[in-house]
Amino acid sequence: PVLHASSTAIYVDLDGWCLGLVSASATRVPCALWSRVADLAVLGPPTVRVQDCELHVGHHRANITRLADVSAPAVARPASAALAPVVAPVPGPTLPADGRLVPAHLDQLLGRGPGLTPLGDDVLAGWFATRMAAGRPDLALAAVLRRRLGVTTLLSATLLDCALRGETLPQLAAWLGDPTPTTTEALLAVGATSGAGLLTGARLALTSLAIERPGRAA
């Protein structure tokens, strides 16, 4: 089943996991095939099938030429430039000053906001991917999130599943590796609010890491 089709992205339901095909200019989400085609409309009507581990769109087959590493880079310690105030107008109550999220925050954020990836989910994706990149995942909270993924869109749930494994967009990965004005601007340019949500979540996670005792089990 096709969940979304446009000139820049096609997303399909692959047995409860969202698989994407994105154009050369689209955001390279970790659950998608990254095409070199500039306009996916040239593929014709988005009738999609998976056959023999291959993705077919209309009469076209997606040929896989290489695999990309979508893991966020290791974060040893929060850089001062990464601990600026959060930037996204997130739904619900004010986010915690110490950056620590609890199950109640999942209720306030998960599925909140418009679009295929609601803003609240983007905040959570940034938080979980950053914690994983730092080698300090919150396993208990991750387990709670996994049980609640059904309340949001399938694409967003899939991207959250990726974040729980430390997989993220190239723009967030670049910012985590080097939080400069240039990488910040590039991240904020992602989507209408997705980049801002990811940045907010990442900064919250880094704040939580900065105040936790080293070696504390999450």
Side-chain angles (χ1 to χ4, degrees):
V2 176
L3 302 173
H4 170 82
S6 69
S7 62
T8 58
I10 298 172
Y11 291 108
V12 299
D13 181 348
L14 189 63
D15 292 332
W17 205 81
C18 188
L19 174 66
L21 175 68
V22 297
S23 72
S25 62
T27 301
R28 295 183 165 184
V29 295
C31 64
L33 306 180
W34 303 348
S35 173
R36 288 178 292 190
V37 176
D39 185 347
L40 298 183
V42 301
L43 302 179
T47 55
V48 181
R49 74 182 191 278
V50 174
Q51 179 179 340
D52 298 328
C53 297
E54 294 178 333
L55 180 71
H56 298 256
V57 180
H59 299 295
H60 301 270
R61 182 183 65 184
N63 296 311
I64 308 300
T65 58
R66 67 183 178 91
L67 298 179
D69 185 1
V70 294
S71 301
V75 177
R77 58 180 299 179
S80 58
L83 297 178
V86 297
V87 296
V90 298
T94 303
L95 293 170
D98 63 1
R100 288 290 300 163
L101 298 185
V102 297
H105 293 119
L106 301 186
D107 294 331
Q108 298 160 7
L109 293 171
L110 191 58
R112 300 297 182 91
L116 291 173
T117 59
L119 175 59
D121 294 356
D122 293 324
V123 173
L124 292 173
W127 194 89
F128 281 101
T130 301
R131 296 280 308 202
M132 179 62 75
R136 292 161 69 181
D138 190 323
L139 300 180
L141 191 62
V144 175
L145 177 62
R146 287 187 186 279
R147 293 195 295 268
R148 301 183 184 180
L149 289 179
V151 307
T152 189
T153 67
L154 182 59
L155 172 58
S156 200
T158 300
L159 291 175
L160 283 167
D161 180 63
C162 290
L164 291 172
R165 290 181 274 115
E167 299 173 351
T168 190
L169 276 62
Q171 291 89 340
L172 178 56
W175 183 85
L176 288 171
D178 186 21
T180 64
T182 298
T183 56
T184 300
E185 182 179 355
L187 179 54
L188 290 174
V190 174
T193 59
S194 290
L198 289 168
L199 180 59
T200 295
R203 282 177 166 162
L204 284 170
L206 293 174
T207 298
S208 71
L209 292 168
I211 66 174
E212 286 181 2
R213 296 190 302 274
R216 173 184 171 184

